[in-house]
Amino acid sequence: MVCSRGCDPGSRHLLQFIILLAAWEAGSGQLHYSVPEEAKHGNYVGRIAQDLGLELAELVPRLFRVVSKGHGDPLEVNLQNGILFVNSRIDREELCGRSVECSIHLEVIVDRPLQVFHVEVEVKDINDNPPVFPAAQKNLFIAESRPVDSRFPLEGASDADIGENAMLTYRLSPNEYFSLDVPTKDEQVKPLGLILRKPLDREEASELHLLLMATDGGKPELTGTVWLLITVLDANDNTPVFDRTLYKVKLPENVSIGTLVINPNASDLDEGLNGDIIYSFSSDVSPDVKSKFRIDPVTGEITVTGLIDFEESKAYKIRVEAIDKGFPPLAGHCTVLVEIVDANDNAPQLTITSLSLPVSEDALPGTVITLISVFDLDFGANGQVTCSLTPQVPFKLVSTFKNYYSLVLDSALDRERVSAYELVVTARDEGSPSLWATASVSVEVADVNDNAPAFPQPEYSVFVKENNPPGCHIFTVSAWDADAQENALVSYSLVERRVGERALSSYVSVHAESGKVYALQPLDHEELELLQFQVSARDAGVPPLGSNVTLQVFVLDENDNAPKLLAPRAGMGIGAVSELVPRSVGAGHVVTKVRAVDADSGYNAWLSYELQPAAGGMNSLFRVGLYTGEISTTRALDEVDTPRQHLLVLVKDHGEPALTATATVLVSLVESGQAAKASSRALEGNVVPDVSLMDVNAYLIVAICAVSSLLVLTLLLYTVLQCSAPPTKGSCRPSKPRLVCSSAVGSWSNSQQGQQRACSGESPPKADLMAFSPSL
């Protein structure tokens, strides 16, 4: 802000506030300041942070910065107090020339969130340029015969300042011959001139020295002077006269060299040499005019000799002289004003400032991506520019101020669908024909962790043979994450739970990087038929995302259990079995039955029975059912048959390779009476025991019955509680022993799975025994 000299600080602050408020309202939200040119470094301009509504403490964290396009850094902001001050010398004439309006446009940018403000600082003119004449001395040749009131044009002074500082007043040193003719504001084209007030007399004064002074309207006033050396000439009464004092012509820019501009015409009433005219540019014409135009000395035609550029100069004022050949020569003067007409010969210029690249895929619509400024050197419609964006992308251009645009996000982004965008910004002017320029903007989309790892299918079934080696690889899980970098880095782990009395991690493990699943110990089909668990896949994003896959590991049975023999009757041992057979029995009499079970399942538990051939190759009196284990006679017994028969029964399963067990049966052939006595003795031994043992046995039986009753009640209560309770995930339940029917004869094989568990946590135990009915 600028305050006139003599105002106190209080009124200066009030004046600053009033001017700032008026500038804010007039600019529809744009800040306006003013600063005098040639202000010293550090001069106060305005409290820009306070006026923008920003806190001083947030200037540094939000990366407060000021951008001035094309003018260096004449202004700077103190980030400690938020004051805009003069940073370097500001010369208004160098910055804006003779333009009435002169401003420095600033862009204020802050981040987090991104905001852009436009600030206009008006540069006030001061009277720092004195009036300057084209030369220090002007030579005039005036014939003594010139009549009184004759006018002689002079080149006035120029002042680089504007306004009052460039309003010039002229004074001529006192003399008796000439007075100064200063044109009014309405006669700006009319040049400054001398008016002859008294006839000249060369014999009385051949030369006159006058001082012409120009004073501007600034405070303090500055002056410039030129010495006028007037040489009084004889004779040649008439001067050449142009038919017009001022010629106006419009000339398009970029016209070809040699184009005719105008042909000013002058005439002289004299005859002979005094009437012959030579045309020339005035000696005061600038070198720029001489480099672009030429005047024919005979015809007076003015033609183009250089490049005419509207952006370089919008008009040319040419002083033309017509001098006759008399002695002394007389001159007539006119002014040719050449106005340059703009052509659309400059394409728009684009400047792109990247701010928020790359763009996070979760950025909200309205986020500013880049700043774009457009500039066209042309004038009028040729300099009016509109911007467009191609192709159809989730971005749009928003006009912020005059020829400033912001590239903002228009809709949501998805890096997994499109990871980068190549945008083309086109700036097109309204000239005819229209000119345009393009600029490419690459927008990369930064990944966020918005995709969880995904498995190809939710569940896998894995089949593993039992008795596997510890640490063997049984399966590989693989999940894919659509994100990038660490957001797509997947690691695997077990979802820990209990399998019976043990932890899941004691059975299997998973490699965190490869997803390979290993069996940590040999699996036993008879103990664990189905192992169901989950593997979790999680990425390394923040926060991490994950998903699970279910593995059903079926433990396949192998023939690793040989058949086991059962006692034929309760209370008997599993060793050799002795049976008494009367000799009177006929063929097909069932002597006894061999019972056996196999802990395996399926074919591995399907048992068959074979009777080993007798010694010496004799035909056996007995045979065994292939699948029943019943031993029966093959014929009626004779007296000649050996009284003691030793039978060896081979029990074999159907596994690969088959496993076997042998049972020994001792058969004694007796007469029918002996067999009956043996049976009755056995009954007597059981029914009529020693009296001393009967009491003990009675007490023992009572105790056993009491304990058994208590045990049965406990088991019943436990069973009721188990059946009424809901099934628990991961619980292990023993499978029931099942009877495998072998034939219509009625023999059976009990495949006892006492230790078998089916642990899935979701389904009942799997039936692991199969029923077969082979034909005999």
Side-chain angles (χ1 to χ4, degrees), residues 38-78:
E38 305 295 342
K40 294 182 180 180
H41 175 75
N43 272 26
Y44 170 88
V45 178
R47 297 184 179 276
I48 189 170
Q50 178 180 348
D51 296 338
L52 291 177
L54 301 175
E55 297 294 334
L56 294 180
E58 66 180 0
L59 297 185
V60 175
R62 294 186 64 185
L63 302 179
F64 182 96
R65 55 197 183 277
V66 175
V67 179
S68 175
K69 181 179 178 182
H71 304 300
D73 296 312
L75 301 172
E76 190 56 74
V77 175
N78 187 330

Side-chain angles (χ1 to χ4, degrees), residues 474 494 504-511 515-520 533:
I474 62 174
L494 287 176
L504 173 65
S505 55
S506 65
Y507 287 96
V508 291
S509 69
V510 60
H511 193 272
K516 290 185 176 181
V517 180
Y518 299 93
L520 300 180
F533 59 93

Side-chain angles (χ1 to χ4, degrees), residues 549-625:
V549 65
T550 300
L551 293 184
Q552 289 187 338
V553 179
F554 293 92
V555 182
L556 302 180
D557 182 55
E558 286 191 333
N559 194 25
D560 57 345
N561 292 281
K564 291 185 178 180
L565 297 171
L566 301 177
R569 289 182 296 272
M572 297 185 63
I574 308 178
V577 179
S578 297
E579 295 290 345
L580 298 177
V581 178
R583 288 182 179 272
S584 60
V585 299
H589 174 74
V590 177
V591 177
T592 187
K593 187 173 186 176
V594 177
R595 294 179 174 87
V597 294
D598 197 311
D600 295 321
S601 62
Y603 277 93
N604 295 329
W606 185 18
L607 304 179
S608 61
Y609 302 86
E610 297 177 6
L611 188 62
Q612 296 298 312
M618 296 178 60
N619 293 331
S620 176
L621 296 176
F622 304 94
R623 65 182 179 186
V624 64

Side-chain angles (χ1 to χ4, degrees), residues 253 309 311 342-348 376-378 382 429 435:
E253 69 171 327
D309 189 358
E311 287 70 40
D342 183 45
N344 192 23
D345 59 342
N346 291 280
D376 196 313
L377 294 174
D378 293 323
N382 297 330
D429 61 30
L435 299 179

Side-chain angles (χ1 to χ4, degrees), residues 714-737:
T714 303
L715 291 176
L716 287 175
L717 180 61
Y718 176 77
T719 303
V720 171
L721 291 176
Q722 286 294 99
C723 292
S724 62
T728 304
K729 183 178 180 180
S731 64
C732 298
R733 295 181 293 277
S735 62
K736 297 179 180 180

